[in-house]
């Protein structure tokens, strides 16, 4: 999948733990882990909005396109 | 959304009622089948031969007739036991399908498996009985009727299994959408 989720990077930049973000987003840590580990097949706009709001960032800070070699 | 939740609650309530109903029907069939099998195989005190080549299986510890057989032949007795046990299995597996609709998630691998078992039973078992009955020309019309009924049920279950498989795939994909 050439779309990379840089949630770990943003969490580190904001010095926030996954558990804290999961609580802010009102999702389980297991669900957040699906996104963090790149297993997710898609992301809804409202989820993206909530993440951007919680981490005070732009969608581009979380999603990255890296062409497959 | 609330309308859908209420609808699903209704479906769960109906499924629960039908599940218990099918279990209530299945258990006596299975117990009667097992009881008849034991009485016939071991010739217990519950089994007795009567006039005109007939036989009787009494209620346990009584002389009150429970099952009366028209012919004391191996074929007749085998079929009597098989019918009782297999209808027990039929109602049990039908109940398992209703059980699927009681869960919070309808599309589950177990649900698909239950539907597959149900349609395979409905396709194969009556057909086998029909072949045997055709072979000996015994109650053929009755068996054709029963086979058609079970095959129709099997066809519905077959298409339901296909819908459930597709639903399961979509649900798995949906679970991976954050």
């Amino acid at each position: 999948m050439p779309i990379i989720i840089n949630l770990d990077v943003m969490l580190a930049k904001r010095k926030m733990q996954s558990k804290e973000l999961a609580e802010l987003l009102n999702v389980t840590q297991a669900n957040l882990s699906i996104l963090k580990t790149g297993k997710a097949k898609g992301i809804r706009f409202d989820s993206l909005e909530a993440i951007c709001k919680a981490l005070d960032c732009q969608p581009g800070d979380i999603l990255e396109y890296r062409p497959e070699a | 959304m609330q309308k859908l939740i209420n609808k699903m609650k209704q479906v769960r309530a109906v499924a629960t009622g039908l599940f218990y109903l099918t279990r209530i029907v299945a258990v006596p069939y299975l117990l009667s089948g097992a009881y008849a099998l034991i009485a016939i195989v071991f010739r217990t005190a519950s089994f007795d031969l009567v006039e005109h080549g007939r036989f009787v299986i009494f209620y346990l510890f009584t002389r009150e007739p429970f099952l009366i057989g028209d012919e004391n032949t191996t074929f007749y007795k085998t079929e009597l036991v098989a019918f009782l046990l297999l209808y027990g299995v039929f109602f049990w597996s039908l109940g398992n399908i209703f059980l699927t609709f009681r869960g919070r998630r309808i599309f589950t691998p177990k649900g698909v498996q239950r539907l597959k078992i149900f349609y395979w039973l409905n396709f194969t078992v009556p057909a086998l009985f029909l072949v045997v009955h055709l072979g000996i020309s015994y109650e053929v019309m009755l068996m054709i009727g029963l086979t058609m009924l079970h095959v129709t049920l099997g066809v519905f279950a077959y298409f339901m299994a296909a819908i459930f498989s597709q639903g399961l795939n979509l649900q798995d994909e949906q679970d991976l959408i954050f």
Side-chain angles (χ1 to χ4, degrees):
Chain A
M1 184 86 147
I3 301 294
I4 309 296
I5 309 287
N6 288 321
L7 198 58
D8 272 337
V9 179
M10 277 315 293
L11 280 168
K13 278 184 185 170
R14 298 289 182 256
K15 294 185 175 63
M16 194 187 280
Q17 286 189 326
S18 296
K19 193 183 168 190
E20 208 179 324
L21 181 63
E23 278 169 13
L24 283 170
L25 299 176
N26 200 22
V27 295
T28 62
Q29 276 186 274
N31 265 349
L32 188 62
S33 163
I34 289 172
L35 185 66
K36 274 173 63 185
T37 53
K39 285 180 189 162
K41 288 199 169 183
I43 182 164
R44 291 190 191 90
F45 283 148
D46 55 354
S47 307
L48 191 58
E49 183 191 338
I51 293 169
C52 289
K53 194 176 171 186
L55 295 174
D56 188 26
C57 64
Q58 292 297 313
D61 297 327
I62 294 164
L63 302 175
E64 184 192 340
Y65 171 66
R66 252 185 247 165
E68 279 172 317
Chain B
M1 190 64 184
Q2 191 58 40
K3 217 174 176 182
L4 183 68
I5 291 168
N6 287 341
K7 185 77 191 164
M8 285 320 293
K9 272 185 188 170
Q10 195 184 332
V11 168
R12 267 197 283 274
V14 172
T16 302
L18 289 170
F19 167 72
Y20 285 114
L21 185 71
T22 47
R23 283 291 191 267
I24 287 167
V25 176
V27 170
Y29 265 111
L30 291 169
L31 290 177
S32 301
Y35 179 56
L37 180 69
I38 292 165
I40 290 167
V41 171
F42 298 104
R43 290 274 174 149
T44 62
S46 303
F47 181 89
D48 207 0
L49 294 173
V50 286
E51 68 271 12
H52 309 302
R54 301 168 88 191
F55 68 90
V56 179
I57 296 170
F58 300 103
Y59 281 102
L60 199 59
F61 309 125
T62 71
R63 299 307 284 173
E64 194 72 34
F66 170 53
L67 295 168
I68 300 168
D70 280 339
E71 298 166 32
N72 184 31
T73 59
T74 306
F75 172 77
Y76 187 92
K77 286 185 284 189
T78 307
E79 200 168 71
L80 173 80
V81 171
F83 260 78
L84 287 169
L85 289 175
L86 288 168
Y87 267 103
V89 172
F90 168 78
F91 283 112
W92 192 275
S93 61
L94 183 61
N96 285 346
I97 292 172
F98 295 129
L99 191 61
T100 303
F101 288 91
R102 288 178 70 200
R104 287 176 64 87
R105 283 191 162 212
I106 289 181
F107 300 126
T108 58
K110 212 169 187 175
V112 176
Q113 183 71 14
R114 284 166 179 164
L115 279 162
K116 280 184 180 170
I117 290 170
F118 187 74
Y119 76 66
W120 271 113
L121 279 174
N122 279 284
F123 283 147
T124 55
V125 178
L128 280 172
F129 272 83
L130 180 62
V131 169
V132 173
H133 277 245
L134 282 170
I136 58 167
S137 299
Y138 177 73
E139 289 186 339
V140 173
M141 287 316 288
L142 173 74
M143 276 317 296
I144 288 174
L146 279 176
T147 306
M148 280 171 68
L149 178 75
H150 283 286
V151 168
T152 308
L153 283 172
V155 167
F156 276 110
Y158 174 79
F159 285 111
M160 266 176 74
I163 293 167
F164 268 58
S165 292
Q166 183 76 3
L168 187 61
N169 281 337
L170 290 171
Q171 188 177 266
D172 285 346
E173 285 218 347
Q174 185 63 27
D175 286 347
L176 292 175
I177 304 282
F178 188 81

